[in-house]
Amino acid sequence: MSNVILKNVRKTYDNNKTVINNVNLEIKDKEFVVLVGASGCGKSTLLRMIAGLEDISDGEIFIGDTKVNDIPPKDRDIAFVFQSYALYPHMTVRENIAFGLKMRKVPKDVIDKKVQEAAEILNLGEYLDRKPKQLSGGQRQRVALGRAIVRNPKVFLMDEPLSNLDAKLRVQMRSEIKKLHEKLQTTFIYVTHDQTEALTMGDRIVVLNNGDIQQVDTPYEIYNNPKNTFVAGFVGSPQMNFIDGESLGLDKDIIYGVRPEKMIRPDGNIKLTVDIEISEMLGSETIAYFNIGENKCSARLEAEVRPEKTLNLSISEADLFKFNKQTGERIY
């Protein structure tokens, strides 16, 4: 079993700054879980604590049935894929993939077999004798993945592995990593600040803010049933609109949330005309930006819509999320 369990895990630095605050989380065997949040929220620290690259200040971490608090990283049966690829420039692809096994004194015939299998999975067969400088960014990332695959670990840990790639290549690599997970049938824990990556890749998403878990759920539930204004505003692009009740002619003690794609609805009973500040033509859609009272908002429109100065909104009350004005928590 390659489940990962965190019980009351905390991380506090010497200056008493807490970066991980009493985290409890169970990641199931063979699950693909994405840790997502803004820079500085603690997601990479949490991943490094699972790997053993960061000490924990309090709590317990289990990989399978084994408590790993005091077990060194090399003995945790995990593979860590870094943002920077961390390839040896003087080695070939074959040598880079084989390096960890060679250091463990694995027999040469076993190494050759494992390298070949990884190369086939990652479509690297024709590049095995090339150096990293002869590869594209996506190919280098696949080599880093290959180095992890040959170890046959219980858990794959990935820290923003696609952040150095251009937008087109990121989309391609998202698909390749998801397929890799399906082939290997092992546990993946993936860190990103990109909520699109989180929504498209994860079986479940863990949303973090300031060292606290805000919500753990499927991508569908995270998007459609956020528990608070942080989750609602973080997931979705453009982000959810937050509008004070008074501006909508509703309860003034409530903050209302509505997705940009729900701002013009056939059955909308809240009618507003707004002045457009700017609109963006994105090919398949148009995004219009405007204010409702003091609230900055946006609407996602069909591509052929070309708003000029004003926009007639038609919002259905059924599409509104309600949030406590003081705490930001969802009101059901």
Side-chain angles (χ1 to χ4, degrees), residues 151-193:
R151 296 182 56 191
N152 193 28
K154 283 185 178 178
V155 182
F156 279 84
L157 305 176
M158 300 187 179
D159 192 5
E160 306 217 37
L162 308 185
S163 59
N164 291 332
L165 305 180
D166 62 48
K168 183 178 179 181
L169 202 49
R170 279 203 303 272
V171 173
Q172 179 187 334
M173 286 301 298
R174 285 205 308 258
S175 175
E176 289 190 18
I177 289 174
K178 193 65 179 162
K179 287 177 185 174
L180 179 63
H181 173 253
E182 291 170 1
K183 281 183 181 178
L184 298 180
Q185 287 292 295
T186 191
T187 307
F188 277 45
I189 307 176
Y190 186 103
V191 159
T192 183
H193 65 275

Side-chain angles (χ1 to χ4, degrees), residues 28-126:
K28 299 168 187 170
D29 183 39
K30 300 183 178 66
E31 193 173 25
F32 195 129
V33 166
V34 179
L35 309 181
V36 68
S39 296
C41 72
K43 57 189 184 296
S44 289
T45 300
L46 195 59
L47 194 75
R48 291 172 65 84
M49 290 162 74
I50 295 170
L53 301 175
E54 289 269 0
D55 293 331
I56 69 172
S57 303
D58 199 9
E60 298 173 307
I61 298 177
F62 294 84
I63 297 177
D65 296 324
T66 305
K67 182 177 173 180
V68 298
N69 289 40
D70 301 317
I71 295 177
K74 66 183 179 64
D75 297 326
R76 293 195 181 194
D77 204 4
I78 55 95
F80 203 110
V81 179
F82 295 91
Q83 177 180 345
S84 61
Y85 315 145
L87 303 180
Y88 295 104
H90 63 287
M91 293 183 182
T92 64
V93 168
R94 187 189 308 277
E95 290 166 338
N96 266 286
I97 294 175
F99 182 76
L101 299 179
K102 189 176 179 181
M103 290 298 99
R104 288 173 175 79
K105 302 191 185 305
V106 174
K108 186 178 183 305
D109 60 327
V110 176
I111 292 177
D112 291 343
K113 182 181 178 184
K114 284 180 173 288
V115 169
Q116 198 59 47
E117 288 173 349
E120 287 175 11
I121 289 171
L122 296 165
N123 296 317
L124 287 171
E126 63 184 288

Side-chain angles (χ1 to χ4, degrees), residues 44 111 114 148 171 192 240 247 251 255 257 262 268 276 312 329:
S44 289
I111 292 177
K114 284 180 173 288
V171 173
T192 183
M240 181 181 286
S247 295
D251 191 329
I255 294 292
K262 301 290 181 70
I276 295 173
N312 294 320
E329 292 299 308

Side-chain angles (χ1 to χ4, degrees), residues 265-278:
R265 304 285 278 173
D267 58 347
N269 59 313
I270 301 172
K271 310 287 187 182
L272 298 168
T273 299
V274 295
D275 295 322
I276 295 173
E277 292 189 339
I278 191 171

